[in-house]
mmCIF file of all heavy atoms in Angstrom:
data_model
loop_
_atom_site.group_PDB
_atom_site.id
_atom_site.type_symbol
_atom_site.label_atom_id
_atom_site.label_comp_id
_atom_site.label_asym_id
_atom_site.label_seq_id
_atom_site.Cartn_x
_atom_site.Cartn_y
_atom_site.Cartn_z
ATOM 1 N N MET A 1 0.837 -1.200 0.000
ATOM 2 C CA MET A 1 0.000 0.000 0.000
ATOM 3 C C MET A 1 0.869 1.246 0.000
ATOM 4 O O MET A 1 1.629 1.500 0.916
ATOM 5 C CB MET A 1 -0.843 -0.016 1.265
ATOM 6 C CG MET A 1 -2.293 -0.196 0.920
ATOM 7 S SD MET A 1 -3.348 0.622 1.998
ATOM 8 C CE MET A 1 -3.725 -0.486 3.219
ATOM 9 N N VAL A 2 0.722 2.042 -1.002
ATOM 10 C CA VAL A 2 1.495 3.278 -1.055
ATOM 11 C C VAL A 2 0.537 4.453 -0.961
ATOM 12 O O VAL A 2 -0.285 4.696 -1.831
ATOM 13 C CB VAL A 2 2.320 3.358 -2.349
ATOM 14 C CG1 VAL A 2 3.068 4.682 -2.397
ATOM 15 C CG2 VAL A 2 3.296 2.196 -2.417
ATOM 16 N N ASP A 3 0.649 5.156 0.082
ATOM 17 C CA ASP A 3 -0.248 6.281 0.316
ATOM 18 C C ASP A 3 0.418 7.590 -0.075
ATOM 19 O O ASP A 3 -0.221 8.540 -0.454
ATOM 20 C CB ASP A 3 -0.626 6.296 1.796
ATOM 21 C CG ASP A 3 -1.670 7.361 2.092
ATOM 22 O OD1 ASP A 3 -2.663 7.421 1.352
ATOM 23 O OD2 ASP A 3 -1.463 8.128 3.038
ATOM 24 N N GLY A 4 1.725 7.625 0.027
ATOM 25 C CA GLY A 4 2.458 8.817 -0.345
ATOM 26 C C GLY A 4 2.538 9.866 0.745
ATOM 27 O O GLY A 4 3.254 10.831 0.630
ATOM 28 N N ARG A 5 1.842 9.665 1.810
ATOM 29 C CA ARG A 5 1.850 10.672 2.865
ATOM 30 C C ARG A 5 2.240 10.102 4.221
ATOM 31 O O ARG A 5 2.397 10.840 5.179
ATOM 32 C CB ARG A 5 0.471 11.308 2.999
ATOM 33 C CG ARG A 5 0.148 12.205 1.829
ATOM 34 C CD ARG A 5 -1.278 12.695 1.929
ATOM 35 N NE ARG A 5 -1.632 13.477 0.744
ATOM 36 C CZ ARG A 5 -1.760 14.800 0.775
ATOM 37 N NH1 ARG A 5 -1.556 15.467 1.874
ATOM 38 N NH2 ARG A 5 -2.119 15.448 -0.305
ATOM 39 N N GLY A 6 2.278 8.819 4.287
ATOM 40 C CA GLY A 6 2.699 8.212 5.545
ATOM 41 C C GLY A 6 1.719 8.424 6.676
ATOM 42 O O GLY A 6 2.082 8.698 7.805
ATOM 43 N N ARG A 7 0.454 8.289 6.370
ATOM 44 C CA ARG A 7 -0.533 8.524 7.417
ATOM 45 C C ARG A 7 -0.904 7.237 8.153
ATOM 46 O O ARG A 7 -1.765 7.264 9.022
ATOM 47 C CB ARG A 7 -1.794 9.114 6.811
ATOM 48 C CG ARG A 7 -1.558 10.488 6.265
ATOM 49 C CD ARG A 7 -2.882 11.154 5.951
ATOM 50 N NE ARG A 7 -3.695 11.278 7.165
ATOM 51 C CZ ARG A 7 -4.982 11.562 7.154
ATOM 52 N NH1 ARG A 7 -5.598 11.732 6.031
ATOM 53 N NH2 ARG A 7 -5.663 11.654 8.267
ATOM 54 N N MET A 8 -0.277 6.181 7.801
ATOM 55 C CA MET A 8 -0.670 4.902 8.369
ATOM 56 C C MET A 8 -0.075 4.659 9.757
ATOM 57 O O MET A 8 -0.414 3.714 10.430
ATOM 58 C CB MET A 8 -0.215 3.759 7.455
ATOM 59 C CG MET A 8 -0.806 3.839 6.057
ATOM 60 S SD MET A 8 -2.583 3.603 6.036
ATOM 61 C CE MET A 8 -2.677 1.846 6.387
ATOM 62 N N GLY A 9 0.825 5.507 10.157
ATOM 63 C CA GLY A 9 1.599 5.203 11.351
ATOM 64 C C GLY A 9 0.818 5.267 12.648
ATOM 65 O O GLY A 9 0.219 6.277 12.979
ATOM 66 N N GLY A 10 0.819 4.215 13.389
ATOM 67 C CA GLY A 10 0.395 4.281 14.781
ATOM 68 C C GLY A 10 -1.042 3.910 15.080
ATOM 69 O O GLY A 10 -1.294 3.244 16.055
ATOM 70 N N TYR A 11 -1.976 4.308 14.265
ATOM 71 C CA TYR A 11 -3.361 4.152 14.684
ATOM 72 C C TYR A 11 -4.011 2.892 14.123
ATOM 73 O O TYR A 11 -4.563 2.102 14.865
ATOM 74 C CB TYR A 11 -4.174 5.379 14.281
ATOM 75 C CG TYR A 11 -3.749 6.582 15.056
ATOM 76 C CD1 TYR A 11 -2.885 7.509 14.505
ATOM 77 C CD2 TYR A 11 -4.204 6.767 16.361
ATOM 78 C CE1 TYR A 11 -2.484 8.613 15.239
ATOM 79 C CE2 TYR A 11 -3.807 7.861 17.094
ATOM 80 C CZ TYR A 11 -2.948 8.786 16.530
ATOM 81 O OH TYR A 11 -2.549 9.870 17.253
ATOM 82 N N GLY A 12 -3.984 2.741 12.831
ATOM 83 C CA GLY A 12 -4.598 1.564 12.248
ATOM 84 C C GLY A 12 -6.109 1.561 12.365
ATOM 85 O O GLY A 12 -6.753 0.531 12.370
ATOM 86 N N LEU A 13 -6.686 2.726 12.477
ATOM 87 C CA LEU A 13 -8.139 2.826 12.588
ATOM 88 C C LEU A 13 -8.711 3.361 11.279
ATOM 89 O O LEU A 13 -7.991 3.734 10.384
ATOM 90 C CB LEU A 13 -8.497 3.767 13.731
ATOM 91 C CG LEU A 13 -7.968 3.333 15.086
ATOM 92 C CD1 LEU A 13 -8.176 4.444 16.097
ATOM 93 C CD2 LEU A 13 -8.675 2.073 15.537
ATOM 94 N N GLY A 14 -9.993 3.405 11.203
ATOM 95 C CA GLY A 14 -10.650 3.917 10.007
ATOM 96 C C GLY A 14 -10.439 5.415 9.858
ATOM 97 O O GLY A 14 -9.932 6.054 10.762
ATOM 98 N N PRO A 15 -10.867 5.941 8.752
ATOM 99 C CA PRO A 15 -10.654 7.352 8.457
ATOM 100 C C PRO A 15 -11.418 8.270 9.400
ATOM 101 O O PRO A 15 -11.012 9.382 9.654
ATOM 102 C CB PRO A 15 -11.158 7.511 7.028
ATOM 103 C CG PRO A 15 -12.051 6.342 6.787
ATOM 104 C CD PRO A 15 -11.533 5.238 7.671
ATOM 105 N N GLY A 16 -12.487 7.784 9.946
ATOM 106 C CA GLY A 16 -13.275 8.591 10.868
ATOM 107 C C GLY A 16 -12.639 8.644 12.235
ATOM 108 O O GLY A 16 -12.836 9.573 12.987
ATOM 109 N N GLY A 17 -11.906 7.622 12.581
ATOM 110 C CA GLY A 17 -11.230 7.604 13.871
ATOM 111 C C GLY A 17 -12.114 7.075 14.976
ATOM 112 O O GLY A 17 -13.274 6.745 14.779
ATOM 113 N N GLU A 18 -11.535 7.022 16.112
ATOM 114 C CA GLU A 18 -12.236 6.494 17.269
ATOM 115 C C GLU A 18 -12.185 7.484 18.410
ATOM 116 O O GLU A 18 -11.218 8.204 18.574
ATOM 117 C CB GLU A 18 -11.572 5.188 17.716
ATOM 118 C CG GLU A 18 -12.450 3.993 17.516
ATOM 119 C CD GLU A 18 -11.877 2.769 18.199
ATOM 120 O OE1 GLU A 18 -10.716 2.782 18.602
ATOM 121 O OE2 GLU A 18 -12.620 1.797 18.316
ATOM 122 N N CYS A 19 -13.224 7.469 19.185
ATOM 123 C CA CYS A 19 -13.246 8.265 20.401
ATOM 124 C C CYS A 19 -13.303 7.329 21.588
ATOM 125 O O CYS A 19 -13.841 6.236 21.506
ATOM 126 C CB CYS A 19 -14.473 9.165 20.421
ATOM 127 S SG CYS A 19 -14.617 10.245 19.020
ATOM 128 N N VAL A 20 -12.765 7.799 22.671
ATOM 129 C CA VAL A 20 -12.813 7.001 23.889
ATOM 130 C C VAL A 20 -13.310 7.866 25.033
ATOM 131 O O VAL A 20 -12.997 9.041 25.133
ATOM 132 C CB VAL A 20 -11.424 6.392 24.193
ATOM 133 C CG1 VAL A 20 -10.387 7.480 24.426
ATOM 134 C CG2 VAL A 20 -11.499 5.435 25.370
ATOM 135 N N CYS A 21 -14.121 7.291 25.873
ATOM 136 C CA CYS A 21 -14.604 8.006 27.045
ATOM 137 C C CYS A 21 -13.534 7.969 28.124
ATOM 138 O O CYS A 21 -13.089 6.897 28.508
ATOM 139 C CB CYS A 21 -15.884 7.345 27.545
ATOM 140 S SG CYS A 21 -16.461 8.042 29.101
ATOM 141 N N PRO A 22 -13.118 9.127 28.622
ATOM 142 C CA PRO A 22 -12.076 9.159 29.640
ATOM 143 C C PRO A 22 -12.563 8.649 30.990
ATOM 144 O O PRO A 22 -11.773 8.368 31.872
ATOM 145 C CB PRO A 22 -11.696 10.643 29.709
ATOM 146 C CG PRO A 22 -12.897 11.373 29.227
ATOM 147 C CD PRO A 22 -13.580 10.460 28.236
ATOM 148 N N LYS A 23 -13.857 8.563 31.124
ATOM 149 C CA LYS A 23 -14.416 8.182 32.417
ATOM 150 C C LYS A 23 -14.611 6.675 32.529
ATOM 151 O O LYS A 23 -14.160 6.051 33.484
ATOM 152 C CB LYS A 23 -15.743 8.897 32.602
ATOM 153 C CG LYS A 23 -16.247 8.877 34.018
ATOM 154 C CD LYS A 23 -17.431 9.817 34.126
ATOM 155 C CE LYS A 23 -18.034 9.755 35.516
ATOM 156 N NZ LYS A 23 -19.190 10.646 35.622
ATOM 157 N N CYS A 24 -15.294 6.106 31.533
ATOM 158 C CA CYS A 24 -15.614 4.691 31.648
ATOM 159 C C CYS A 24 -14.873 3.836 30.624
ATOM 160 O O CYS A 24 -14.935 2.625 30.669
ATOM 161 C CB CYS A 24 -17.122 4.474 31.523
ATOM 162 S SG CYS A 24 -17.763 4.677 29.859
ATOM 163 N N GLY A 25 -14.178 4.496 29.698
ATOM 164 C CA GLY A 25 -13.373 3.736 28.752
ATOM 165 C C GLY A 25 -14.138 3.225 27.547
ATOM 166 O O GLY A 25 -13.590 2.496 26.737
ATOM 167 N N TYR A 26 -15.378 3.623 27.389
ATOM 168 C CA TYR A 26 -16.165 3.203 26.240
ATOM 169 C C TYR A 26 -15.576 3.774 24.958
ATOM 170 O O TYR A 26 -15.203 4.937 24.902
ATOM 171 C CB TYR A 26 -17.605 3.681 26.423
ATOM 172 C CG TYR A 26 -18.515 3.295 25.296
ATOM 173 C CD1 TYR A 26 -19.101 2.037 25.278
ATOM 174 C CD2 TYR A 26 -18.780 4.182 24.256
ATOM 175 C CE1 TYR A 26 -19.940 1.674 24.242
ATOM 176 C CE2 TYR A 26 -19.622 3.827 23.221
ATOM 177 C CZ TYR A 26 -20.197 2.565 23.219
ATOM 178 O OH TYR A 26 -21.024 2.220 22.188
ATOM 179 N N ARG A 27 -15.499 2.928 23.949
ATOM 180 C CA ARG A 27 -14.956 3.379 22.666
ATOM 181 C C ARG A 27 -16.027 3.357 21.608
ATOM 182 O O ARG A 27 -16.873 2.483 21.596
ATOM 183 C CB ARG A 27 -13.830 2.448 22.218
ATOM 184 C CG ARG A 27 -12.553 2.717 22.967
ATOM 185 C CD ARG A 27 -11.514 1.696 22.573
ATOM 186 N NE ARG A 27 -10.222 2.110 23.066
ATOM 187 C CZ ARG A 27 -9.288 2.706 22.297
ATOM 188 N NH1 ARG A 27 -9.497 2.879 21.019
ATOM 189 N NH2 ARG A 27 -8.152 3.081 22.824
ATOM 190 N N MET A 28 -15.959 4.327 20.709
ATOM 191 C CA MET A 28 -16.884 4.348 19.589
ATOM 192 C C MET A 28 -16.231 5.025 18.396
ATOM 193 O O MET A 28 -15.355 5.872 18.552
ATOM 194 C CB MET A 28 -18.159 5.097 19.981
ATOM 195 C CG MET A 28 -17.897 6.542 20.354
ATOM 196 S SD MET A 28 -19.358 7.400 20.955
ATOM 197 C CE MET A 28 -20.156 7.814 19.418
ATOM 198 N N THR A 29 -16.649 4.629 17.219
ATOM 199 C CA THR A 29 -16.198 5.347 16.044
ATOM 200 C C THR A 29 -17.074 6.579 15.874
ATOM 201 O O THR A 29 -18.194 6.628 16.354
ATOM 202 C CB THR A 29 -16.311 4.478 14.786
ATOM 203 O OG1 THR A 29 -17.650 4.031 14.650
ATOM 204 C CG2 THR A 29 -15.401 3.274 14.876
ATOM 205 N N HIS A 30 -16.540 7.564 15.193
ATOM 206 C CA HIS A 30 -17.347 8.751 14.941
ATOM 207 C C HIS A 30 -17.227 9.124 13.486
ATOM 208 O O HIS A 30 -16.218 8.866 12.855
ATOM 209 C CB HIS A 30 -16.912 9.894 15.852
ATOM 210 C CG HIS A 30 -15.542 10.425 15.548
ATOM 211 N ND1 HIS A 30 -15.339 11.521 14.750
ATOM 212 C CD2 HIS A 30 -14.322 9.998 15.917
ATOM 213 C CE1 HIS A 30 -14.035 11.739 14.666
ATOM 214 N NE2 HIS A 30 -13.391 10.828 15.367
ATOM 215 N N PRO A 31 -18.264 9.760 12.970
ATOM 216 C CA PRO A 31 -18.231 10.169 11.573
ATOM 217 C C PRO A 31 -17.209 11.269 11.353
ATOM 218 O O PRO A 31 -16.884 12.014 12.276
ATOM 219 C CB PRO A 31 -19.650 10.682 11.299
ATOM 220 C CG PRO A 31 -20.362 10.714 12.579
ATOM 221 C CD PRO A 31 -19.518 10.088 13.629
ATOM 222 N N ARG A 32 -16.756 11.365 10.146
ATOM 223 C CA ARG A 32 -15.802 12.421 9.825
ATOM 224 C C ARG A 32 -16.431 13.780 10.035
ATOM 225 O O ARG A 32 -17.587 13.973 9.759
ATOM 226 C CB ARG A 32 -15.399 12.314 8.355
ATOM 227 C CG ARG A 32 -14.479 11.179 8.097
ATOM 228 C CD ARG A 32 -13.968 11.293 6.688
ATOM 229 N NE ARG A 32 -12.725 12.037 6.707
ATOM 230 C CZ ARG A 32 -11.735 11.819 5.857
ATOM 231 N NH1 ARG A 32 -11.857 10.915 4.932
ATOM 232 N NH2 ARG A 32 -10.641 12.505 5.922
ATOM 233 N N GLY A 33 -15.646 14.692 10.510
ATOM 234 C CA GLY A 33 -16.111 16.060 10.653
ATOM 235 C C GLY A 33 -16.760 16.349 11.993
ATOM 236 O O GLY A 33 -17.079 17.486 12.298
ATOM 237 N N ILE A 34 -16.961 15.318 12.785
ATOM 238 C CA ILE A 34 -17.505 15.542 14.117
ATOM 239 C C ILE A 34 -16.453 15.180 15.139
ATOM 240 O O ILE A 34 -16.110 14.023 15.308
ATOM 241 C CB ILE A 34 -18.765 14.688 14.352
ATOM 242 C CG1 ILE A 34 -19.821 15.012 13.303
ATOM 243 C CG2 ILE A 34 -19.307 14.946 15.759
ATOM 244 C CD1 ILE A 34 -21.085 14.200 13.468
ATOM 245 N N PRO A 35 -15.905 16.166 15.795
ATOM 246 C CA PRO A 35 -14.846 15.891 16.751
ATOM 247 C C PRO A 35 -15.364 15.120 17.960
ATOM 248 O O PRO A 35 -16.529 15.259 18.332
ATOM 249 C CB PRO A 35 -14.360 17.285 17.176
ATOM 250 C CG PRO A 35 -15.205 18.282 16.487
ATOM 251 C CD PRO A 35 -16.238 17.590 15.667
ATOM 252 N N CYS A 36 -14.477 14.370 18.526
ATOM 253 C CA CYS A 36 -14.851 13.557 19.675
ATOM 254 C C CYS A 36 -15.411 14.406 20.805
ATOM 255 O O CYS A 36 -16.350 14.022 21.479
ATOM 256 C CB CYS A 36 -13.632 12.791 20.178
ATOM 257 S SG CYS A 36 -13.081 11.524 19.049
ATOM 258 N N TYR A 37 -14.831 15.552 21.007
ATOM 259 C CA TYR A 37 -15.220 16.348 22.172
ATOM 260 C C TYR A 37 -16.602 16.962 22.038
ATOM 261 O O TYR A 37 -17.087 17.604 22.964
ATOM 262 C CB TYR A 37 -14.170 17.429 22.470
ATOM 263 C CG TYR A 37 -13.904 18.378 21.330
ATOM 264 C CD1 TYR A 37 -14.769 19.434 21.081
ATOM 265 C CD2 TYR A 37 -12.782 18.208 20.513
ATOM 266 C CE1 TYR A 37 -14.523 20.303 20.046
ATOM 267 C CE2 TYR A 37 -12.532 19.071 19.481
ATOM 268 C CZ TYR A 37 -13.407 20.136 19.236
ATOM 269 O OH TYR A 37 -13.156 20.992 18.197
ATOM 270 N N LYS A 38 -17.214 16.753 20.868
ATOM 271 C CA LYS A 38 -18.604 17.193 20.722
ATOM 272 C C LYS A 38 -19.580 16.043 20.915
ATOM 273 O O LYS A 38 -20.781 16.222 20.811
ATOM 274 C CB LYS A 38 -18.805 17.813 19.348
ATOM 275 C CG LYS A 38 -18.166 19.166 19.232
ATOM 276 C CD LYS A 38 -18.678 19.880 18.010
ATOM 277 C CE LYS A 38 -18.156 21.313 17.986
ATOM 278 N NZ LYS A 38 -18.569 21.990 16.745
ATOM 279 N N GLN A 39 -19.047 14.881 21.179
ATOM 280 C CA GLN A 39 -19.901 13.730 21.358
ATOM 281 C C GLN A 39 -19.896 13.306 22.815
ATOM 282 O O GLN A 39 -18.896 13.408 23.506
ATOM 283 C CB GLN A 39 -19.375 12.588 20.498
ATOM 284 C CG GLN A 39 -19.164 12.986 19.082
ATOM 285 C CD GLN A 39 -19.680 11.920 18.148
ATOM 286 O OE1 GLN A 39 -20.803 11.945 17.705
ATOM 287 N NE2 GLN A 39 -18.854 10.950 17.885
ATOM 288 N N LYS A 40 -21.019 12.788 23.238
ATOM 289 C CA LYS A 40 -21.104 12.324 24.615
ATOM 290 C C LYS A 40 -21.125 10.811 24.657
ATOM 291 O O LYS A 40 -21.680 10.149 23.788
ATOM 292 C CB LYS A 40 -22.374 12.872 25.269
ATOM 293 C CG LYS A 40 -22.233 14.323 25.644
ATOM 294 C CD LYS A 40 -23.444 14.791 26.419
ATOM 295 C CE LYS A 40 -23.252 16.237 26.853
ATOM 296 N NZ LYS A 40 -24.427 16.705 27.590
ATOM 297 N N CYS A 41 -20.543 10.294 25.697
ATOM 298 C CA CYS A 41 -20.546 8.867 25.904
ATOM 299 C C CYS A 41 -21.975 8.372 26.113
ATOM 300 O O CYS A 41 -22.701 8.916 26.945
ATOM 301 C CB CYS A 41 -19.689 8.555 27.135
ATOM 302 S SG CYS A 41 -19.754 6.836 27.621
ATOM 303 N N PRO A 42 -22.383 7.366 25.358
ATOM 304 C CA PRO A 42 -23.742 6.848 25.504
ATOM 305 C C PRO A 42 -23.967 6.121 26.819
ATOM 306 O O PRO A 42 -25.098 5.877 27.218
ATOM 307 C CB PRO A 42 -23.878 5.892 24.311
ATOM 308 C CG PRO A 42 -22.493 5.514 23.945
ATOM 309 C CD PRO A 42 -21.617 6.685 24.314
ATOM 310 N N LYS A 43 -22.914 5.794 27.482
ATOM 311 C CA LYS A 43 -23.054 5.062 28.739
ATOM 312 C C LYS A 43 -23.119 5.980 29.941
ATOM 313 O O LYS A 43 -23.946 5.804 30.826
ATOM 314 C CB LYS A 43 -21.863 4.107 28.918
ATOM 315 C CG LYS A 43 -21.920 2.934 27.978
ATOM 316 C CD LYS A 43 -20.760 2.002 28.255
ATOM 317 C CE LYS A 43 -21.226 0.729 28.900
ATOM 318 N NZ LYS A 43 -20.138 -0.241 29.075
ATOM 319 N N CYS A 44 -22.238 6.952 29.990
ATOM 320 C CA CYS A 44 -22.166 7.761 31.204
ATOM 321 C C CYS A 44 -22.351 9.257 30.950
ATOM 322 O O CYS A 44 -22.447 10.025 31.896
ATOM 323 C CB CYS A 44 -20.840 7.500 31.928
ATOM 324 S SG CYS A 44 -19.411 8.160 31.090
ATOM 325 N N GLY A 45 -22.388 9.667 29.684
ATOM 326 C CA GLY A 45 -22.680 11.051 29.384
ATOM 327 C C GLY A 45 -21.476 11.972 29.419
ATOM 328 O O GLY A 45 -21.594 13.165 29.190
ATOM 329 N N GLU A 46 -20.310 11.423 29.682
ATOM 330 C CA GLU A 46 -19.095 12.220 29.683
ATOM 331 C C GLU A 46 -18.719 12.571 28.244
ATOM 332 O O GLU A 46 -19.034 11.832 27.322
ATOM 333 C CB GLU A 46 -17.961 11.390 30.315
ATOM 334 C CG GLU A 46 -16.709 12.178 30.592
ATOM 335 C CD GLU A 46 -16.836 13.020 31.845
ATOM 336 O OE1 GLU A 46 -17.873 12.946 32.525
ATOM 337 O OE2 GLU A 46 -15.890 13.757 32.131
ATOM 338 N N LEU A 47 -18.065 13.708 28.053
ATOM 339 C CA LEU A 47 -17.613 14.057 26.725
ATOM 340 C C LEU A 47 -16.470 13.128 26.310
ATOM 341 O O LEU A 47 -15.582 12.823 27.103
ATOM 342 C CB LEU A 47 -17.135 15.504 26.693
ATOM 343 C CG LEU A 47 -18.265 16.532 26.765
ATOM 344 C CD1 LEU A 47 -17.689 17.929 26.953
ATOM 345 C CD2 LEU A 47 -19.120 16.503 25.503
ATOM 346 N N MET A 48 -16.516 12.731 25.056
ATOM 347 C CA MET A 48 -15.524 11.797 24.555
ATOM 348 C C MET A 48 -14.224 12.500 24.237
ATOM 349 O O MET A 48 -14.167 13.696 24.005
ATOM 350 C CB MET A 48 -16.057 11.121 23.293
ATOM 351 C CG MET A 48 -17.404 10.469 23.464
ATOM 352 S SD MET A 48 -17.359 9.026 24.528
ATOM 353 C CE MET A 48 -16.646 7.818 23.420
ATOM 354 N N LYS A 49 -13.179 11.707 24.209
ATOM 355 C CA LYS A 49 -11.881 12.229 23.787
ATOM 356 C C LYS A 49 -11.385 11.407 22.611
ATOM 357 O O LYS A 49 -11.840 10.301 22.383
ATOM 358 C CB LYS A 49 -10.866 12.110 24.919
ATOM 359 C CG LYS A 49 -11.147 13.050 26.049
ATOM 360 C CD LYS A 49 -10.142 12.860 27.153
ATOM 361 C CE LYS A 49 -8.771 13.400 26.732
ATOM 362 N NZ LYS A 49 -7.809 13.323 27.846
ATOM 363 N N ARG A 50 -10.432 11.936 21.923
ATOM 364 C CA ARG A 50 -9.846 11.202 20.813
ATOM 365 C C ARG A 50 -9.080 10.011 21.301
ATOM 366 O O ARG A 50 -8.295 10.121 22.240
ATOM 367 C CB ARG A 50 -8.892 12.139 20.060
ATOM 368 C CG ARG A 50 -9.127 12.040 18.574
ATOM 369 C CD ARG A 50 -8.083 12.795 17.835
ATOM 370 N NE ARG A 50 -7.660 11.914 16.765
ATOM 371 C CZ ARG A 50 -7.083 12.342 15.660
ATOM 372 N NH1 ARG A 50 -6.837 13.617 15.534
ATOM 373 N NH2 ARG A 50 -6.764 11.517 14.734
ATOM 374 N N ALA A 51 -9.303 8.886 20.662
ATOM 375 C CA ALA A 51 -8.610 7.674 21.088
ATOM 376 C C ALA A 51 -7.165 7.706 20.612
ATOM 377 O O ALA A 51 -6.879 8.269 19.577
ATOM 378 C CB ALA A 51 -9.318 6.451 20.565
HETATM 379 ZN ZN1 ZN B 1 -18.403 6.876 29.504
#
């Protein structure tokens, strides 16, 4: 796979990325263009952070 930009390093996640709840550890994918910190954890209601 040649991407030409070297964006493959480290994460191995989809293009949308993943968010993680800092409180309970719940992980979820999020759509592109919506930052994690605008989403709330469905389990505990805490704001998500970037995984
Ligand atoms: Zn949570």
Side-chain angles (χ1 to χ4, degrees):
M1 247 213 269
V2 178
D3 186 48
R5 289 174 185 253
R7 293 192 61 194
M8 300 294 288
Y11 292 99
L13 300 170
E18 247 191 347
C19 303
V20 62
C21 174
K23 195 170 176 181
C24 73
Y26 180 84
R27 283 175 168 259
M28 61 185 279
T29 56
H30 68 96
R32 286 189 92 148
I34 302 180
C36 291
Y37 58 80
K38 287 194 173 176
Q39 308 224 93
K40 284 186 177 179
C41 173
K43 288 183 109 175
C44 71
E46 190 78 3
L47 287 171
M48 306 291 283
K49 290 178 72 175
R50 226 188 134 158

